[in-house]
Amino acid sequence: MPDYNLRLIIPEIFLFLWALFIIAFDLGTKRKNPKLIGYLTMGGIAATAVLLYLYHGGISFNNMFKSDPLALFFKVIFLGSAFMAVGSSFDIIAQKIKNHRGEFFGLVLFSTVGMMFLASAGELISLYIGLELTTIPLFILAAYYKDDRISVEAGLKYLVIGAFSSAILLYGLSLLYGLSGTTDIVMMKINLALLYLNTNGIGWALLMAIVMVLAGIGFKLALVPFHMWAPDVYQGAPTPITALLSVGSKAAGVVAFMRIFIDGLYGFADAVMFPLDWGNIVAVLAAAAMILGNISALRQKNIKRMLAYSSIAQIGYVMVGMVAVSELGVGSVGYYMFIYLFANMGAFAVATIFNDNTGSDSIASYAGLSKSSPMISAFMAIFLLSLAGIPPLAGFAAKFFVFAAGIQAGYTWLVILALLTAVVSLYYYANVIKMMYFAPDNPTIKLNTPLSANIVLIIGVAGLIIFGVYPEPILNFALDTARVFGF
Amino acid sequence: MIPIGHFLILSAMLFAVGAAGVIISRNLLIMLMSIELMLNAANLAIIAFSRMNNIVDGHVFVFIVFAVAAAEAAVGLAIIIMIFRNRESINADNFSLLKR
């Protein structure tokens, strides 16, 4: 009996139509007002969040679209990252993008719609469409400064590597489809378990499928060894888009990883133990990500490149929770991504404001910032300390839960390595703070921030402090998402 | 009837040719074409599996992959034209401004 419950996809439909409206509105108005389009976009995202609250819970289109707690939780992260990316891009829109401003915001919304569909995908076809709808607008956005050689180069690199990785992912999905004879992820688990039982081993085809899917999603996550594109693209793309890439697109990769690897390739099915051990492979990759990300970040002079390597390291920490595959593991990964939203979007928002005012991205040019702009320096310090995991801030709680999940699942070596690399990471985060507060005075200009960027910064700081002191509501919500996988 | 293995071997070969093309070739247009070849190799595998298992989900999947490949090619060609206007070259070795 087919069920086509359109009520559940009302938020996605609304956001999609709103993106078209933004593009048409920009085309149709004579006097171009970049601020008005920006606020309309932010309003549309906020309205989508309200619609999401009203219409969620249930399964539609024969398992193709699952509106479960996991999807809801990650959709909040996607909407938050799009909201903050749009909020911090007002100055860029006014100064650097003369034409096609509506398309900029429209493409951000299209990409967000893709992430939302991806979070809800219960099935290989909708998962693939969601992934592509997320990345294709981001190719264009990364290359959005048409006359800037660096931005175009970033777009090109993202395009070639993104398309290459999605082709690898697709081939892996085709093998999974062929072996299991279904595109439904939960059915796939049962069929693969039967295949496993009958053939008495996982077989080279299944192993190849897993490696290819892992590579495809690993590119989206910028997990070592599939991370080469991240520093280049992060450095070249417009800074708000870098922020969206590092939070929204990465969270989309995390949820796709959960759907395929936890829902489809792990656990019990029909009383058959199904021990496809991707856990150890991913644990090694996570260890490599933590070591390489943190060590490479040490010698970066560009703040965006430094944050790119830091985000490679952060995905390593996230994977510690992922390999645990338990209630705490899934919950802590969700919580980590939620806190990462505030800290990383905030840090990139400060980098955007700084670049808009001074035209520089180098860490050395932050010297003496605390004298001319004490508030923004304090905010930046809070974001960076939270990324490093300093106790009163939410980043500490996030790391704590992820590491607890790792120890609970027996990955003690991975957690010890994570703790050691977290100490290393403190050095390069503190380096920026040292520059801002203790470096000899440079004649820095006072930073002017538009109102929308101030809203973004305040949301970021408030989130980090409130959820650092009082993590229970979000943590409970995140732990609740683990019910989706039957933990 | 042709056994499934033949289709799968052909598709694996096409995929390998495509992947090698992306890695070896320095011409951006050839890289883009090689990516299309990889997508079509996956399509061939999906269709063969779909016929083997006697289910039609695979046909739907392939149509959707066509649409995605078209979108990717459209965006890809646009970006390549843009970079050609900037640099007057489509040789991938020339694009290394971002290596610091």
Side-chain angles (χ1 to χ4, degrees), chain A residues 50-396:
Chain A
V50 173
L51 286 174
L52 195 62
Y53 177 72
L54 294 176
Y55 302 104
H56 69 88
I59 290 172
S60 184
F61 300 101
N62 292 321
N63 260 350
M64 284 191 103
F65 190 88
K66 290 179 170 176
S67 189
D68 49 19
L70 180 77
L72 179 66
F73 187 86
F74 274 90
K75 281 176 190 176
V76 173
I77 297 180
F78 303 148
L79 290 174
S81 69
F83 187 87
M84 292 169 88
V86 170
S88 58
S89 63
F90 278 36
D91 268 356
I92 280 185
I93 289 297
Q95 292 165 10
K96 292 193 182 165
I97 299 174
K98 295 285 176 268
N99 297 314
H100 310 294
R101 287 164 171 161
E103 282 92 328
F104 183 88
F105 292 125
L107 286 168
V108 170
L109 295 189
F110 283 138
S111 182
T112 315
V113 173
M115 293 173 201
M116 290 170 75
F117 271 115
L118 180 58
S120 282
E123 205 252 5
L124 298 181
I125 300 177
S126 48
L127 187 124
Y128 181 69
I129 302 173
L131 206 65
E132 291 296 323
L133 187 54
T134 308
T135 24
I136 292 180
L138 288 173
F139 297 156
I140 309 172
L141 287 169
Y144 216 84
Y145 300 152
K146 272 192 291 188
D147 303 322
D148 179 6
R149 298 156 70 107
I150 291 184
S151 172
V152 174
E153 188 176 313
L156 179 79
K157 283 185 173 163
Y158 192 37
L159 167 85
V160 170
I161 295 182
F164 183 61
S165 71
S166 78
I168 294 177
L169 175 76
L170 182 69
Y171 203 82
L173 292 184
S174 82
L175 288 178
L176 284 182
Y177 166 71
L179 291 170
S180 64
T182 175
T183 53
D184 185 303
I185 291 176
V186 177
M187 278 296 288
M188 188 177 89
K189 169 153 76 178
I190 297 168
N191 289 0
L192 286 177
L194 290 176
L195 183 82
Y196 173 79
L197 201 68
N198 291 337
T199 55
N200 199 16
I202 62 172
W204 63 270
L206 190 49
L207 186 67
M208 213 165 99
I210 290 172
V211 170
M212 284 178 137
V213 173
L214 182 62
I217 295 180
F219 273 110
K220 302 280 180 265
L221 289 174
L223 189 64
V224 173
F226 316 110
H227 68 284
M228 322 72 92
W229 60 275
D232 287 359
V233 175
Y234 281 27
Q235 185 191 346
T239 317
I241 300 309
T242 309
L244 188 65
L245 268 175
S246 75
V247 178
S249 168
K250 200 162 265 197
V254 167
V255 71
F257 189 99
M258 282 182 176
R259 291 277 186 206
I260 292 192
F261 281 88
I262 299 182
D263 223 0
L265 295 170
Y266 188 90
F268 296 92
D270 281 355
V272 179
M273 182 64 172
F274 184 37
L276 276 179
D277 203 10
W278 49 264
N280 282 328
I281 307 175
V282 177
V284 171
L285 296 188
M290 289 184 290
I291 295 171
L292 194 138
N294 282 317
I295 302 286
S296 308
L298 286 178
R299 53 188 180 81
Q300 298 306 322
K301 300 197 168 52
N302 182 308
I303 186 115
K304 283 162 85 178
R305 249 184 128 77
M306 187 274 273
L307 286 171
Y309 279 110
S310 118
S311 86
I312 292 172
Q314 301 279 348
I315 206 68
Y317 300 135
V318 170
M319 286 296 147
V320 175
M322 195 76 94
V323 293
V325 202
S326 60
E327 186 193 6
L328 185 59
V330 173
S332 65
V333 167
Y335 184 75
Y336 199 105
M337 291 313 293
F338 194 81
I339 298 308
Y340 184 65
L341 161 73
F342 294 112
N344 223 32
M345 294 304 290
F348 275 115
V350 174
T352 311
I353 293 166
F354 191 80
N355 185 289
D356 289 339
N357 283 279
T358 63
S360 165
D361 277 332
S362 84
I363 294 175
S365 60
Y366 280 69
L369 189 66
S370 65
K371 303 284 189 305
S372 58
S373 308
M375 277 307 277
I376 290 188
S377 310
F379 283 179
M380 185 64 162
I382 290 176
F383 297 138
L384 292 173
L385 288 176
S386 175
L387 282 173
I390 300 296
L393 299 165
F396 171 74

Side-chain angles (χ1 to χ4, degrees), chain B residues 23-73:
Chain B
I23 293 164
I24 296 169
S25 167
R26 298 289 86 195
N27 186 316
L28 290 178
L29 287 172
I30 293 181
M31 285 163 94
L32 209 61
M33 281 156 62
S34 303
I35 290 170
E36 297 296 310
L37 195 61
M38 289 166 75
L39 289 175
N40 282 325
N43 277 347
L44 185 62
I46 293 173
I47 283 291
F49 283 131
S50 174
R51 180 152 176 206
M52 179 183 87
N53 293 323
N54 269 327
I55 41 170
V56 285
D57 301 17
H59 300 225
V60 181
F61 204 159
V62 165
F63 274 118
I64 282 165
V65 175
F66 281 156
V68 167
E72 226 162 44

